[in-house]
Amino acid sequence: MAEPMRARPKPTPETQHFWDGTKAGELRLQRCDSCAHVYFPPRPFCPSCASRKVSIFKASGKGTLYSYVINHRPAAPGFTPPYAIAVVALEEGPRMMSNITGCPQTPVALELDMPLEVTFEPLDAQITLPLFRPAKG
Amino acid sequence: MRRNQVAVVGAAETTELGVIPTMSQIQLHADAALNAIADAGLKLSDIDGFATAVETPQQMCHYLGITPTWVDGTSVGGCSFMLHVRHAAAAIEAGLCKTVLITHAESGKSMIGKQPRSIPADSLQGQFEAPFGVYGPPSMFPIPVLRYMKTYGITHEQLAMVAVVQREWAARNPRAMMKDPITVDDVLNSRMIAYPFRLLQCCLVTDGGGALILTSADRAKDFPRKPVYILGTGESVETPMVSQMETFTSSRAFKVAGPLAFKEAGITHADVDHLMIYDAFAHLPLFGLGDLGFMPHEETGPFIAAGHTRPGGKLPLNTNGGGLSYMHSGMYGMYALQESVRQMRGIAPAQVPGAKISVCHGVGGMFAASGTIIFTNER
Ligand SMILES: [Zn+2]
């Protein structure tokens, strides 16, 4: 799956914990200590109440399929079409873009609201991507 | 902003639309600007306010030989020009300038003198969207569609009808790129681009441009063309990341900009004679009809499928053929504004008889931004 040509994320000081997490096999989100809002993408303050008191925690890695396209053309470098570009609704509330592995990339196999679980795909020695697969059981 | 205090007194597109391999992007801007200046009966030296997007105001003012006292480089995607109109109207009312030129042009097809769009690897999009295979608008803009369809019971056939109806409008427009009639089957059998969308549900890729000239309504009566007044305006932004929209069943930016414009204009939906909703992809007119409050989202697909937006229908929509059939250089908002102005002047190729109020709604990025302008030809 992970091919060398795939666009490679470059972490910033505010997002480093997320990418350290995926490398360690954890999906890390942030929660506001003041208002309990859980949010993504990462930033060192709460976008709901502006508090700087926020904590990083390990998310369950469970979610559901919110929406997707199956991209045919043009295909991004490192991808073989057709491939699904999905948005996953995480159990904790935030949504994130990802790919769905371990299942055909077809409208029949990709049912909205199907349960998903995170899986980690190393891109290179530094970066591991969070992908999702149909949840077992 | 007060109603009808500012008017469009000049409006023009580039001399040609489509494939223009003889002009760079800044020359396309100039071609549109010179046409608009001529339309208004002005000289470039009369312009004291300038706005543009993607290209910078300094680039274009230098190229055109303009020394402005007010500039706006708001660049939020294809609806930037709706925001320019709103900002220019406020600036004219505030006395910051008297005569504003707004230009757009894009060498979207020929790519001459055009910077390629790129996503930095350390941006949030570069980290949290690009690694998952998004590659250009067709892979991103339709991502909400399946959720929208499931939530509101919208069908593939209804989304195909958007393209069919707009082609009917384009057939009446000599300058439209695509004029041959199409059917729902044609749409649903066209090449798959990004499921659920096929080729005929995605916008064209062309070269072209357009320009507008605005001044105070009091001065507007001395110009050669019938003034088109700014009745109401609205704008907003949401997120550059389609994955991070508040919901996929509505656009927050639409829901802010649209109702603001209606409130400012002091009109109801029944007052609208003519409607433009930026259609980079076939779902946008549905989002627009719902979020601007014309009807519940559930009714948008059936409304279009029933023919209410086609020629002769009760709500003429995207009467130039839209981004799907007229032209789409990359930032289509300017062409939607041009069509609204033509309709208000009474000179559109597919003129809506007696139209007095036109609503022109734009999107920028992938639901990232929005601007709404309501025009009228009566003061
Ligand atoms: Zn908070």
Side-chain angles (χ1 to χ4, degrees):
Chain A
M1 264 302 287
E3 297 171 43
M5 290 284 286
R6 194 192 263 243
R8 184 185 185 281
K10 185 179 174 191
T12 62
E14 298 81 20
T15 64
Q16 189 63 52
H17 70 268
F18 180 87
W19 296 109
D20 289 345
T22 54
K23 196 174 163 187
E26 291 185 4
L27 188 68
R28 292 179 185 166
L29 294 175
Q30 287 168 301
R31 182 186 288 113
C32 175
D33 296 341
S34 303
C35 78
H37 180 56
V38 178
Y39 62 90
F40 175 85
R43 71 207 84 168
F45 63 91
C46 171
S48 184
C49 78
S51 169
R52 291 176 188 260
K53 293 197 176 79
V54 296
S55 302
I56 296 163
F57 70 99
K58 182 188 169 187
S60 69
K62 293 185 196 312
T64 56
L65 183 56
Y66 184 58
S67 201
Y68 65 92
V69 293
I70 303 172
N71 198 40
H72 285 245
R73 66 191 311 278
F79 284 81
T80 306
Y83 61 94
I85 303 167
V87 173
V88 179
L90 300 174
E91 194 174 61
E92 292 83 2
R95 300 189 193 110
M96 63 189 298
M97 187 175 280
S98 189
N99 301 120
I100 311 299
T101 67
C103 117
Q105 305 292 289
T106 63
V108 172
L110 295 164
E111 240 188 290
L112 291 199
D113 303 312
M114 68 193 276
L116 301 167
E117 62 191 20
V118 74
T119 172
F120 295 98
E121 184 88 21
L123 188 59
D124 59 27
Q126 283 81 41
I127 295 291
T128 293
L129 294 175
L131 304 185
F132 286 78
R133 65 187 173 206
K136 293 189 179 71
Chain B
M1 207 144 39
R2 293 183 302 152
R3 293 166 204 157
N4 296 346
Q5 298 303 304
V6 171
V8 175
V9 293
E13 293 171 348
T14 42
T15 309
E16 292 179 61
L17 294 176
V19 183
I20 312 172
T22 54
M23 286 189 205
S24 67
Q25 185 158 293
I26 56 172
Q27 181 55 31
L28 289 167
H29 276 259
D31 185 50
L34 294 174
N35 286 343
I37 290 285
D39 184 65
L42 290 173
K43 302 186 295 295
L44 275 172
S45 57
D46 296 322
I47 300 299
D48 62 354
F50 185 82
T52 196
V54 182
E55 295 295 349
T56 59
Q58 59 268 39
Q59 171 77 269
M60 288 318 308
C61 284
H62 174 252
Y63 194 66
L64 290 164
I66 292 171
T67 304
T69 59
W70 175 86
V71 296
D72 181 9
T74 301
S75 196
V76 293
C79 65
S80 298
F81 318 102
M82 280 80 174
L83 276 68
H84 295 158
V85 168
R86 186 170 202 244
H87 302 171
I92 290 166
E93 266 222 86
L96 303 182
C97 52
K98 287 190 166 67
T99 311
V100 173
L101 170 64
I102 303 169
T103 69
H104 156 72
E106 202 158 0
S107 183
K109 177 76 172 177
S110 302
M111 300 293 284
I112 304 169
K114 175 184 158 78
Q115 298 293 321
R117 293 180 190 181
S118 66
I119 299 173
D122 56 0
S123 66
L124 292 178
Q125 300 98 301
Q127 294 180 69
F128 300 112
E129 290 195 336
F132 306 107
V134 296
Y135 202 59
S139 67
M140 290 186 270
F141 225 148
I143 287 177
V145 173
L146 289 177
R147 172 58 55 183
Y148 189 89
M149 292 174 74
K150 178 168 179 172
T151 302
Y152 298 124
I154 303 297
T155 67
H156 291 283
E157 288 74 16
Q158 289 164 358
L159 282 163
M161 270 300 280
V162 174
V164 171
V165 169
Q166 291 194 197
R167 188 61 64 85
E168 293 178 13
W169 284 110
R172 289 157 165 75
N173 189 342
R175 270 164 72 88
M177 284 284 288
M178 308 298 279
K179 291 190 274 285
D180 295 339
I182 51 173
T183 65
V184 166
D185 278 350
D186 292 336
V187 177
L188 296 179
N189 289 313
S190 64
R191 193 169 66 201
M192 188 65 86
I193 300 294
Y195 176 85
F197 277 177
R198 295 169 180 271
L199 183 67
L200 293 175
Q201 291 164 307
C202 304
C203 64
L204 305 168
V205 181
T206 59
D207 304 325
L212 293 170
I213 297 171
L214 277 68
T215 194
S216 67
D218 290 338
R219 290 181 70 214
K221 59 184 182 302
D222 301 327
F223 283 76
R225 302 287 185 201
K226 180 177 177 176
V228 176
Y229 302 101
I230 313 295
L231 185 61
T233 63
E235 68 186 285
S236 192
V237 294
E238 184 173 357
T239 168
M241 305 172 76
V242 67
S243 65
Q244 299 305 315
M245 290 173 71
E246 196 168 76
T247 165
F248 281 179
T249 55
S250 172
S251 159
R252 196 178 79 199
F254 283 20
K255 279 202 301 191
V256 173
L260 257 178
F262 273 84
K263 188 174 176 214
E264 193 172 283
I267 61 164
T268 68
H269 295 84
D271 297 324
V272 177
D273 301 310
H274 171 252
L275 177 61
M276 299 296 290
I277 299 175
Y278 188 139
D279 58 320
F281 293 89
H283 57 314
L284 288 163
L286 279 65
F287 273 77
L289 287 170
D291 285 336
L292 266 59
F294 282 92
M295 62 200 69
H297 283 285
E298 288 84 349
E299 294 172 17
T300 58
F303 185 82
I304 289 173
H308 296 309
T309 61
R310 68 173 20 144
K314 62 183 175 188
L315 185 57
L317 170 65
N318 294 342
T319 50
N320 58 355
L324 297 178
S325 287
Y326 178 59
M327 82 86 68
H328 194 293
S329 56
M331 295 171 73
Y332 167 83
M334 175 56 81
Y335 309 97
L337 290 165
Q338 295 285 335
E339 175 66 7
S340 281
V341 170
R342 284 190 295 263
Q343 289 284 349
M344 291 296 92
R345 286 175 169 184
I347 59 164
Q351 181 63 40
V352 175
K356 293 188 176 66
I357 291 179
S358 173
V359 173
C360 190
H361 179 74
V363 67
M366 318 301 143
F367 292 112
S370 184
T372 311
I373 303 295
I374 303 180
F375 295 101
T376 183
N377 49 21
E378 291 186 329
R379 198 180 177 195

